[in-house]
Amino acid sequence: MIRRPQIALLSDGRRLHLQDGPIDLIVEARGRTDAVRAAYDAAALRFTGLLDELCAELPELRSAAGMRTSLKGLVARRMHAAVAPHAVDGFITPMAAVAGSVAEEILAAMLRTATLDRAYVNNGGDIALHLGVGEHFTVGLMDRPDRDGVMRTMRIEADDPVRGVATSGRHGRSFSLGIADAVTVLATTASQADAAATMIANAVDLPGHPAIIRRPANELQPDSDLGARLVTRDVGELSRNEIAAALESGAECARHLFDRGLIEGAVLQLCGDMLVIGPKDIERLESRPRQLEPAVHA
């Protein structure tokens, strides 16, 4: 018997909330009233049972990715496809793309059912986008997503190739091997953005630095896909040169992915400093805008 997730409109009457176990989605669609209603019904239908599908293949999803896979589920295979290009550069499992892949799947179900002007599915900060002609989407960036800070924005236009946004770093729900406060990636899909954000955030690092506290992932979470690999738990005081060096290490990874066509841009943040890779302009704002979709941690 399939477990029923929590499905409800939020108090604003515009956005749909879908939650099942660790999957927590905020969905918004714009278009004709009947089209939006049909899209939300399709999202709820596809969401039901999706977590069970992933759990059925969890052992392989938590294993190091290779170029080939025996995964069967559509979302599971999308996860693998997103991480496979990174497997040659370092350790990565399909779980690095789970949030973006789920967001993509729900958005695809909506668009198969209804014609919409604009829509997004936000899975804990990993966002799948649909933008019709003339539409745009503004993504908010925090210096530290886990606390109040300076807000910046990125505006994604309908004619941009970007349809996925993801953020990774040491303050998120998932463990990170690096020390980045946040790495936000723009890509053509949410699953690609998710995988790339993980890799770039891992690369923002100062290996062996005494001010960085690390612990084996499986001591903190026994079933972690990272096993005994050391994950960052705290970062002490760093000099300006050390911050710059760590950011440059991540930027080198981001440039490599940009040159390979795997990302459209990235914003790397550490200790109040920021590096931008790619053509997207970042606009500094003095206060948090009222209607902004935050690129919080995945």
Side-chain angles (χ1 to χ4, degrees):
M1 182 176 179
I2 296 177
R3 182 181 60 258
R4 295 291 300 178
Q6 297 181 36
I7 301 171
L9 282 174
L10 294 178
S11 58
D12 59 19
R14 296 182 295 104
R15 295 176 297 163
L16 181 68
H17 181 219
L18 304 173
Q19 192 272 326
D20 190 7
I23 307 177
D24 199 336
L25 310 181
I26 300 296
V27 180
E28 184 176 10
R30 293 183 183 176
R32 297 190 321 273
T33 301
D34 59 337
V36 171
R37 185 181 302 113
Y40 284 175
D41 287 345
L45 181 63
R46 182 63 188 98
F47 187 66
T48 302
L50 181 52
L51 179 59
D52 294 327
E53 292 176 24
L54 294 173
C55 288
E57 300 192 87
L58 200 52
E60 185 169 351
L61 291 172
R62 286 176 170 165
S63 300
M67 295 309 296
R68 296 185 178 183
T69 181
S70 60
L71 292 165
K72 304 299 183 186
L74 183 61
V75 177
R77 293 185 68 84
R78 180 182 292 120
M79 291 163 62
H80 177 268
V83 303
H86 303 278
V88 296
D89 296 323
F91 174 82
I92 191 169
T93 77
M95 293 301 292
V98 61
S101 297
V102 168
E104 269 186 61
E105 180 69 7
I106 300 305
L107 182 63
M110 295 166 63
L111 296 176
R112 283 195 299 267
T113 301
T115 300
L116 302 170
D117 297 333
R118 193 190 90 152
Y120 68 81
V121 177
N122 184 341
N123 188 358
D126 290 355
I127 304 170
L129 287 172
H130 165 70
L131 297 174
V133 176
E135 296 287 342
H136 71 273
F137 188 83
T138 303
V139 180
L141 303 172
M142 300 291 289
D143 286 345
R144 277 278 301 267
D146 62 331
R147 63 174 63 165
D148 290 337
V150 176
M151 175 72 85
R152 296 173 174 87
T153 65
M154 293 185 294
R155 179 173 165 124
I156 301 171
E157 305 288 350
D159 57 358
D160 289 332
V162 175
R163 290 298 181 268
V165 182
T167 300
S168 185
R170 71 182 184 90
H171 303 290
R173 294 183 300 178
S174 301
F175 295 138
S176 179
L177 306 182
I179 63 173
D181 289 324
V183 170
T184 299
V185 168
L186 308 179
T188 55
T189 69
S191 57
Q192 289 176 313
D194 197 1
T198 299
M199 295 298 287
I200 298 169
N202 287 345
V204 178
D205 201 9
L206 296 169
H209 195 289
I212 301 170
I213 298 174
R214 308 178 198 263
R215 294 287 184 271
N218 57 7
E219 288 186 6
L220 303 167
Q221 182 179 314
D223 61 353
S224 172
D225 61 320
L226 296 175
R229 288 172 178 80
L230 297 178
V231 297
T232 303
R233 304 308 294 157
D234 196 17
V235 177
E237 185 174 354
L238 302 176
S239 70
R240 305 308 302 175
N241 286 341
E242 288 169 335
I243 293 169
L247 283 172
E248 181 54 35
S249 177
E252 183 177 353
C253 175
R255 293 187 194 103
H256 174 62
L257 299 182
F258 183 81
D259 290 343
R260 292 174 62 192
L262 294 175
I263 67 172
E264 298 296 326
V267 180
L268 291 64
Q269 299 186 77
L270 174 62
C271 299
D273 286 2
M274 180 177 72
L275 275 180
V276 180
I277 306 299
K280 267 292 165 191
D281 292 331
I282 307 299
E283 176 185 357
R284 186 185 179 102
L285 299 181
E286 294 304 322
S287 60
R288 183 196 302 255
R290 287 189 175 182
Q291 294 185 348
L292 200 63
E293 195 61 29
V296 296
H297 272 33

